Amino acid sequence: MSEPDHTAVRVALWRALHVLADPPPHALADEIGLRLADPGPDWRSRGDMDLEFTRRFRVGIVLRSRFAEDLVRESGASQYVLLGAGLDTFAQREAGLDVRVFEIDRPGVQEWKRARLAELGLPAPHRFVPVDFESGEQWPDRLAANGFDRSEPAVVASAGVSMYLTREANAATLRALSGFAPGTVVAMTFQLPDKYLDEQDRAAREAAMRGAEAAGTPFVSFFAPDEMLAFARECGFRDVRHVSADDLIGRYLAGRADGLRTSGEEFLVATVTAQR
């Protein structure tokens, strides 16, 4: 049984930090991931939990989760798929919602998460879909084998993943998703090239990239918004749109006096349409 990687744990802690350190209203209230990670009493003294340094990062993590979850609520889809689910807790926080949740991740990580949920007495109403990506296993087939209905639309979230994948790997994911049932909505985050970032954001991302490189998970893919939309069309989507960091700020952080904001990571939202 393997534990989640450092990135997955950090994401869970930053989501909790938003609740514990940022004044309300909170864009997302999630402290369950903190309970799963169980980082010890001194976790807030870690260097990667510094309030000022993590400010934009933790807000970005929170907003991307909130946006994907709102798509689930707004679309009326009966299925929600999380690619690289990590320590996501939507299934626990929204256990009463009439939607089937499928979490795709590495087998060892899912065994660990299943055990932690049981230890904490937390509900696990979702389906764990273990996929060994390194073996070339076809995750859509594994998804179907675990109860996913290919004839019904879904919301599929891929958050914080595309930058770690090559262009070819991202294309393979999008092509697979473009073959899902009409009405399926895909929300995929992507990182902007440096020229789209201001000085503060470039410095922040350089720090994030150094950490990712040291952890053996370097950033390898960046997309300009128009490039990402064209890329999605090449992979089979007709209905595509770009949701910027500014769009997310306007939707979830408008009117705040503390100046919370995020940048650098944006959304592709692609909807599967009926074939002609």
Side-chain angles (χ1 to χ4, degrees):
M1 182 188 306
S2 61
E3 296 186 359
D5 61 33
H6 295 301
T7 300
V9 171
R10 189 182 303 116
V11 165
L13 299 186
W14 281 349
R15 285 159 65 116
L17 201 58
H18 174 60
V19 178
L20 298 171
D22 297 326
H26 298 118
L28 186 79
D30 178 17
E31 296 179 81
I32 296 177
L34 171 62
R35 295 173 63 192
L36 285 173
D38 191 23
D42 298 327
W43 68 274
R44 289 186 62 172
S45 65
R46 290 171 36 166
D48 58 355
M49 294 296 128
D50 177 81
L51 292 185
E52 187 57 34
F53 172 75
T54 66
R55 186 177 172 89
R56 291 195 177 193
F57 294 129
R58 69 175 181 268
V59 173
I61 293 295
V62 166
L63 295 193
R64 74 189 192 190
S65 294
R66 173 64 184 275
F67 179 71
E69 293 176 10
D70 279 354
L71 286 177
V72 176
R73 299 182 186 96
E74 294 163 4
S75 70
S78 62
Q79 304 181 109
Y80 181 33
V81 180
L82 294 105
L83 298 178
L87 300 187
D88 190 90
T89 62
F90 177 82
Q92 285 68 50
R93 289 178 286 108
E94 300 287 352
L97 197 64
D98 187 20
V99 59
R100 299 192 303 280
V101 181
F102 299 84
E103 293 191 358
I104 298 177
D105 215 323
R106 291 178 289 117
V109 171
Q110 293 198 330
E111 289 178 25
W112 179 91
K113 186 174 183 181
R114 194 191 298 269
R116 285 294 296 148
L117 288 170
E119 287 173 15
L120 295 170
L122 292 169
H126 52 317
R127 307 287 182 91
F128 289 102
V129 183
V131 175
D132 184 353
F133 294 101
E134 294 180 359
S135 72
E137 191 170 17
Q138 298 301 304
W139 62 264
D141 292 340
R142 292 290 299 161
L143 191 58
N146 281 272
F148 182 79
D149 187 345
R150 291 182 172 181
S151 68
E152 292 293 325
V155 171
V156 183
S158 175
V161 176
S162 69
M163 65 273 206
Y164 298 115
L165 303 179
T166 63
R167 186 180 182 89
E168 292 73 21
N170 279 312
T173 298
L174 286 171
R175 288 193 190 102
L177 290 170
S178 70
F180 278 39
T184 294
V185 179
V186 176
M188 174 183 281
T189 63
F190 62 95
Q191 288 277 341
L192 295 170
D194 278 354
K195 70 178 183 178
Y196 289 86
L197 305 180
D198 63 24
E199 184 176 348
Q200 183 178 1
D201 292 335
R202 279 195 296 272
R205 205 204 11 233
E206 285 172 5
M209 290 178 65
R210 286 195 296 271
E213 182 81 33
T217 53
F219 288 17
V220 296
S221 290
F222 305 89
F223 295 90
D226 289 347
E227 180 186 9
M228 175 53 87
L229 295 180
F231 184 48
R233 293 187 185 99
E234 291 171 9
C235 293
F237 287 96
R238 295 188 180 92
D239 183 350
V240 297
R241 62 188 174 100
H242 165 227
V243 178
S244 70
D246 286 342
D247 292 332
L248 296 177
I249 292 167
R251 180 167 179 169
Y252 298 118
L253 302 179
R256 293 185 67 103
D258 54 6
L260 275 185
R261 60 175 289 110
T262 183
S263 64
E265 197 169 29
E266 320 249 308
F267 265 103
L268 161 73
V269 179
T271 303
V272 180
T273 55
Q275 299 297 316
R276 295 179 179 176

